[in-house]
Amino acid sequence: MTRNTADMQVALAQQCPVVADPDTNLATVETTLAEQTEADLVVWPELFLPGYTIARVDTLAEALDGERVNRLRDVAAKYDTALVIGIAERCDNGHIANSALAIDRDGRIAGCYRKTQLFGDEADAFTPGETLEVVELAGVRIGLMICFDIEFPEISRALAAESAELLVSISANMRPFGPDHRLFAQARALENRRPHIYVNQVGQGEAFLFTGDSCYVDTAGRVRVTSSPHAEALALADVSLAVETETRPDYLALRRAVPPIHTDA
């Protein structure tokens, strides 16, 4: 049997931003959306708008009511296309978060998830988020993750259990961790029986060589669409949200509460 849910077309924008040049990167977003009007959703990597940098985030952070975010909202509405993009977010309390901004096809901000699992020196520049987020884009409930988040299975499980129909991860994953993230992307899809869109930066950044290898993984953990690990690419994925349960179990439907651990201590 299957759970009948509408499909959606997602464009995986595996592109290399210019570090510390958000206006150039915003122009790339506008050009890409103009060329991908058939997509329901376009996804860019982690920290795409400012470029991946730790040293300069204070001058590159965006307020959600700021000019560049308003331009993103306008272009989403202009082309009737939802988007997810990585930004450095200037929070109301003055802190800066490594965030995934989600804008629906009418230009409405659907949510802005702040990365909870900061990696390495990111903790010196960003404040970790305190909540997970499920947003609705193009009529689909989407659980958002950022890079290191996907290495913690409890995060995607919580999103799926909270009614996410699709997992979307944006990343700036570097050598030598490329194979790790391919495995994590597949595992998070299979164990939750949710399709997974993973979009990673590619090319030489300010300090790291990013590994690309963006992909769409179906609910059985099979890679259906993939991008090269070595070049910019824009891949289109026809995403099926249906969970086929004739061959593999629906782990979410069958799960029981985790029992307490017995120890002799």
Side-chain angles (χ1 to χ4, degrees):
M1 61 180 294
T2 59
R3 178 171 60 85
N4 293 318
T5 322
D7 294 344
M8 73 185 310
Q9 187 173 77
V10 182
L12 286 63
Q14 179 177 289
Q15 296 172 328
C16 183
V18 180
V19 176
D21 192 350
D23 290 323
T24 293
N25 300 329
L26 180 53
T28 298
V29 170
E30 292 171 332
T31 299
T32 302
L33 284 175
E35 295 173 348
Q36 298 298 322
T37 55
E38 72 275 23
D40 299 300
L41 169 67
V42 183
V43 181
W44 279 271
E46 176 183 14
L47 291 175
F48 184 82
L49 192 60
Y52 188 92
T53 180
I54 301 299
R56 291 177 269 182
V57 294
D58 187 60
T59 61
L60 296 169
E62 308 285 348
L64 294 186
D65 60 355
E67 179 183 351
R68 294 189 186 94
V69 171
N70 285 333
R71 281 178 62 186
L72 288 169
R73 297 179 64 183
D74 289 344
V75 75
K78 178 179 180 179
Y79 295 111
D80 190 30
T81 305
L83 64 89
V84 173
I85 187 170
I87 68 168
E89 177 196 358
R90 189 174 300 280
C91 308
D92 291 340
N93 58 10
H95 294 168
I96 299 172
N98 180 342
S99 298
L101 174 63
I103 299 175
D104 208 357
R105 58 200 316 168
D106 61 357
R108 174 183 58 89
I109 294 178
C112 193
Y113 164 65
R114 297 168 181 171
K115 186 176 183 179
T116 59
Q117 296 292 333
L118 299 175
F119 179 79
D121 292 342
E122 289 176 356
D124 297 330
F126 300 108
T127 297
E130 297 181 347
T131 59
L132 303 180
E133 190 144 0
V134 176
V135 301
E136 185 169 312
L137 296 174
V140 175
R141 290 182 60 78
I142 294 173
L144 298 173
M145 294 181 286
I146 303 176
C147 202
F148 199 33
D149 287 336
I150 72 169
E151 302 186 31
F152 298 85
E154 59 272 23
I155 292 179
S156 58
R157 175 52 55 90
L159 293 169
E162 192 57 37
S163 74
E165 300 170 279
L166 170 66
L167 302 174
V168 169
S169 297
I170 63 173
S171 189
N173 188 39
M174 70 291 286
R175 286 183 176 175
F177 307 117
D180 299 20
H181 269 210
R182 172 54 62 89
L183 180 60
F184 288 130
Q186 292 181 257
R188 301 296 84 91
L190 176 60
E191 69 196 5
N192 292 297
R193 304 310 304 277
R194 295 293 181 266
H196 190 180
I197 295 290
Y198 171 83
V199 180
N200 191 27
Q201 282 196 35
V202 68
Q204 182 62 54
E206 185 176 59
F208 302 113
L209 181 62
F210 298 111
T211 57
D213 220 14
S214 302
C215 62
Y216 155 49
V217 185
D218 70 13
T219 63
R222 297 169 297 204
V223 176
R224 293 296 194 181
V225 173
T226 188
S227 300
S228 166
H230 305 299
E232 291 188 299
L234 192 82
L236 290 176
D238 289 318
V239 176
S240 173
L241 303 176
V243 179
E244 180 273 315
T245 57
E246 292 179 358
T247 303
R248 292 176 174 84
D250 186 337
Y251 300 115
L252 281 175
L254 296 174
R255 78 191 190 283
R256 299 175 58 205
V258 177
I261 297 174
H262 174 75
T263 66
D264 294 328

